[in-house]
Amino acid sequence: MRFQLLGPLALADGPDTVVLQPSKPVILLAALLLHANSTVSTEYLQRAVWGEDQPATARAALQTCVLRLRRLFTKHGVTGTSIEAVPGGYRITAGPPTLDLLGFRDQVRRATALVRDPEAELYTLKDALSLWQGSLLANVRSDVLHRDEVPRLSEERLRAVERVCDLLLGLGRCGEALVDLWTATRVYPGHERFHEQLIEALYRTGRQSQALAEYRRVKGFLLDELGVDPSPSLRQLELSILRGEELGAGGAVRAAVEPAPAPDPGPASRVIQGAAVSLPAATPGAGPVPAVPHFTGRAAEAAAMAARLTGPPPPGADGQRPLTVLVSGAPGIGKSALAQHVAHLVRDSFPAGRLLVRMTRADGHPRTADEVAAEVAAALGPVRAGERALLVLDDVADADQVRPLLTSPDLAVVVTSRMGLGGLIATHGGWVHRLTAFTEAESYALLLAALGTERVEAEPHAARQLATLCGHFPAALRILTARLLTRPGLRLGDAVDWLGDDPLARLTLTDSPDHSVSGLFDRALGRLDPRLSEAFLRIGAGPPELLDEPVDTGGTGGTGGTGGTGGPEDHPPVPEDVLEQLADAGLLEDGPPGPYRIHDLLRAHLRRTVRIRNRRTEKV
């Protein structure tokens, strides 16, 4: 049993997690765990539970809370951890395996000792940050703890994130650093070092204009909100960019005419879960499995996947093939997030390492099977006998990409794909989890985790309306919460009106246009065969009845009539094989109603695409 403090206070037993309901005993437990292995005074505990205005019976009530906690421990089978009454107060004992906060600090200390090996330090810090699971103490209603303890813990995390980004920049992985820095600079607009790192990463990836725009943005914020100028290092960074100077790791400036040093051709040694791994100096497709911030929902799927990955082979397995779990579904439905979350849940069962392999290039083209196989072999290296490794093969395009990797019984493989990959399951077996949109409860839980309990529960009806406008679509909810986090003063009720005016246009990050619902759908359509894409546009722009009674003749059903609104001749029936191909690509969902349906956001995008195309045609 493990206590989780780095998020909502919870008890975890393997893949099973119980988030504790807000109560005074839960506040007491949080206060004790925050100071684990130390005596916490009775006076401090009373202030944490009741605030400054304490009842006369606070001391006796505190003893009752202790008794209730002990019963809670018994109910959930907590062993090896107890609450002791000691002179002056109470104490709870815990260690890194039983309390995530101590585990985080232990990993950070280990990372500090690896300063001579930046790859190993980076991986260790990312493993430490993976323990953070959402808004700190979201279910602990204590003004004292949120005032005194949460800022201190947040600072510990920020230092680790800052160091991770420094390491990524030092290793030349600027594009990877951008992912964390976009979020960090928006959530912490006054943290100048994050802005400095973001500007450097933008410049070093060839985005000079964006780097200068970001400098102007943070300069305006500092002047308007704080009345101060940017730091000398930020001003120097801007000057270096304007001069066209080349930046080295960490913002150090080299003259633009000076040739960059040749990259080290040798492998970089890294440690994955205690096993030595050799990686090439640059491996754009493979790396450690990153943590998923604010992961919520998918409890049943996560538990089933974790059980299958850690359980014995299924009856009749020949023991020669790796265990395979396929996660399929629409673009943006949360396949990668679920796979990465499960990889962290089961990490203790895979001491030979957990490796995330991107199977599609940034331009949308799939990587070759030979390329991926060579990369995985180099990354995992020699594995000690009896130790298992876990591969997460993310965004697989077809079964042929995967089959060459399914060669060792010491591997477990999680495949994520928009495609159904029935041929892979037919030849190699495995389990399939096809994801659909969130339930209302899952959407609400994500808003709670990402935006914080106080903001969401102050306007619960508006929060549910926002989830509905997003169609309970995970990617849309993630983009929405990112936008709301950058506007902490915006009421959720006002956000409902703002989003409802044009959901597709508003579900985009203005400073990172690639992160948008429309862009996500456009990229998915771009992967389709042109005839199939044309048929899908016709289906989306046509009446819902097109999906009710497919015909069983061949062909793609033609490409005419995308803008028609007349009778049946404007919307000829769609062949069943076309619908099956679209469903296999994750673009059609199973009914009811009807055998197939299109998600509302996707249908809106298709209709907008057709309208824009028709307007362009009319102008010509």
Side-chain angles (χ1 to χ4, degrees):
M1 186 67 71
R2 182 183 182 87
F3 292 99
Q4 293 182 342
L5 264 180
L6 304 179
L9 183 54
L11 294 174
D13 185 7
D16 300 322
T17 301
V18 177
V19 177
L20 302 178
Q21 294 300 309
S23 67
K24 289 181 171 55
V26 167
I27 298 174
L28 172 62
L29 177 60
L32 290 170
L33 290 172
L34 286 165
H35 302 276
N37 306 315
S38 301
T39 298
V40 188
S41 70
T42 301
E43 291 73 18
Y44 178 81
L45 292 173
Q46 290 174 188
R47 283 202 312 276
V49 175
W50 287 281
E52 303 301 332
D53 188 17
Q54 300 170 27
T57 58
R59 185 174 292 270
L62 188 66
Q63 294 173 349
T64 302
C65 287
V66 171
L67 293 174
R68 289 175 61 186
L69 278 182
R70 287 171 175 161
R71 286 198 292 268
L72 179 72
F73 286 7
T74 301
K75 174 184 175 182
H76 290 287
V78 176
T79 58
T81 300
S82 61
I83 300 174
E84 304 172 84
V86 296
Y90 293 89
R91 179 176 61 208
I92 192 169
T93 56
T98 57
L99 177 58
D100 60 357
L101 174 59
L102 298 182
F104 169 75
R105 290 172 174 165
D106 185 60
Q107 287 285 79
V108 170
R109 281 192 294 271
R110 293 183 185 182
T112 303
L114 296 169
V115 67
R116 295 181 181 275
D117 187 346
E119 287 279 3
E121 182 186 0
L122 175 63
Y123 182 79
T124 305
L125 281 175
K126 283 194 169 188
D127 215 32
L129 288 168
S130 72
L131 296 172
W132 292 72
Q133 297 293 325
S135 299
L136 276 172
L137 305 183
N139 55 339
V140 178
R141 296 175 180 172
S142 168
D143 292 340
V144 171
L145 295 184
H146 282 273
R147 181 194 67 203
D148 298 343
E149 304 292 346
V150 168
R152 177 171 57 83
L153 292 180
S154 296
E155 187 60 32
E156 290 186 53
R157 178 180 177 274
L158 289 181
R159 286 201 300 269
V161 172
E162 185 179 312
R163 179 59 182 162
V164 163
C165 293
D166 274 338
L167 288 166
L168 288 171
L169 293 174
L171 292 166
R173 292 154 63 177
C174 301
E176 189 176 340
L178 283 172
V179 177
D180 292 327
L181 288 168
W182 280 121
T183 301
T185 52
R186 273 51 186 172
V187 177
Y188 304 100
H191 196 297
E192 287 189 68
R193 179 58 186 148
F194 283 148
H195 290 286
E196 190 175 334
Q197 291 171 320
L198 175 59
I199 292 167
E200 178 187 341
L202 287 169
Y203 181 60
R204 289 174 62 190
T205 52
R207 297 153 76 173
Q208 180 179 5
S209 60
Q210 276 188 272
L212 292 171
E214 182 64 21
Y215 175 81
R216 291 191 293 270
R217 197 188 72 80
V218 68
K219 180 180 179 181
F221 171 84
L222 292 171
L223 287 172
D224 295 342
E225 299 295 327
L226 305 177
V228 298
D229 290 318
S231 65
S233 58
L234 261 175
R235 295 199 298 271
Q236 179 60 49
L237 183 59
E238 182 210 23
L239 186 60
S240 299
I241 294 173
L242 290 171
R243 289 173 175 171
E245 295 171 329
E246 187 170 355
L247 299 180
V253 179
R254 294 197 298 265
V257 296
E258 178 186 346
D264 179 4
S269 177
R270 108 169 20 175
V271 174
I272 295 184
Q273 293 294 101
V277 176
S278 295
L279 285 178
T283 54
V289 181
V292 181
H294 311 307
F295 184 87
T296 53
R298 311 295 192 204
E301 294 90 342
M305 287 175 63
R308 285 164 177 164
L309 290 169
T310 59
D318 57 16
Q320 300 304 310
R321 290 176 177 168
L323 178 70
T324 305
V325 177
L326 168 63
V327 185
S328 64
I333 205 67
K335 303 180 292 295
S336 299
L338 174 61
Q340 293 168 29
H341 176 68
V342 171
H344 280 278
L345 291 180
V346 302
R347 57 186 168 189
D348 292 342
S349 297
F350 296 95
R354 293 166 295 126
L355 195 67
L356 174 66
V357 185
R358 308 289 186 187
M359 303 295 286
T360 304
R361 302 183 189 281
D363 61 6
H365 289 89
R367 303 172 69 207
T368 66
D370 289 344
E371 175 190 358
V372 173
E375 184 175 284
V376 170
L380 288 177
V383 177
R384 290 189 288 268
E387 290 191 346
R388 300 177 71 209
L390 175 65
L391 295 184
V392 178
L393 306 180
D394 189 45
D395 201 11
V396 169
D398 57 57
D400 289 339
Q401 271 188 304
V402 179
R403 289 190 178 103
L405 302 174
L406 305 182
T407 57
S408 170
D410 291 325
L411 283 179
V413 180
V414 177
V415 175
T416 76
S417 179
R418 299 174 186 180
M419 308 302 294
L421 300 186
L424 177 68
I425 299 300
T427 58
H428 284 71
W431 288 274
V432 178
H433 296 272
R434 187 174 178 93
L435 303 185
T436 58
F438 274 165
T439 64
E440 291 184 12
E442 288 175 323
S443 296
Y444 192 78
L446 188 150
L447 294 176
L448 283 173
L451 300 178
T453 304
E454 291 184 6
R455 189 175 183 185
V456 174
E457 292 195 343
E459 301 178 79
H461 179 65
R464 292 187 172 89
Q465 285 181 291
L466 288 172
T468 300
L469 287 169
C470 289
H472 304 288
F473 199 70
L477 289 165
R478 294 282 182 187
I479 292 170
L480 172 68
T481 54
R483 295 206 67 172
L484 292 177
L485 283 170
T486 66
R487 298 182 180 183
L490 180 65
R491 293 181 61 256
L492 299 188
D494 294 334
V496 170
D497 297 332
W498 164 77
L499 180 61
D501 286 343
D502 192 346
L504 284 175
R506 301 285 160 75
L507 288 172
T508 183
L509 300 182
T510 55
D511 56 354
S512 183
D514 287 344
H515 290 84
S516 71
V517 170
S518 290
L520 180 72
F521 291 153
D522 277 335
R523 289 190 292 273
L525 290 173
R527 289 194 189 184
L528 292 177
D529 176 276
R531 293 183 303 160
L532 204 58
S533 176
E534 190 70 21
F536 191 45
L537 284 170
R538 184 169 64 83
I539 293 170
E545 291 76 17
L546 277 178
L547 297 176
D548 288 344
E549 297 181 1
V551 296
D552 59 4
T553 57
T556 60
T559 58
T562 55
T565 57
E569 65 277 5
D570 292 310
H571 304 288
V574 181
E576 185 171 4
D577 68 315
V578 170
L579 297 178
E580 278 293 304
Q581 290 179 68
L582 292 170
D584 192 60
L587 298 173
L588 289 182
E589 302 172 355
D590 294 333
Y596 304 103
R597 56 191 171 87
I598 303 177
H599 190 278
D600 290 343
L601 280 179
L602 180 52
R603 184 182 287 276
H605 175 74
L606 294 173
R607 288 177 171 171
R608 171 173 291 187
T609 300
V610 169
R611 286 198 302 272
I612 292 172
R613 188 174 66 177
N614 287 346
R615 282 199 297 269
R616 289 173 178 169
T617 304
E618 290 167 4
K619 289 179 182 178
V620 174

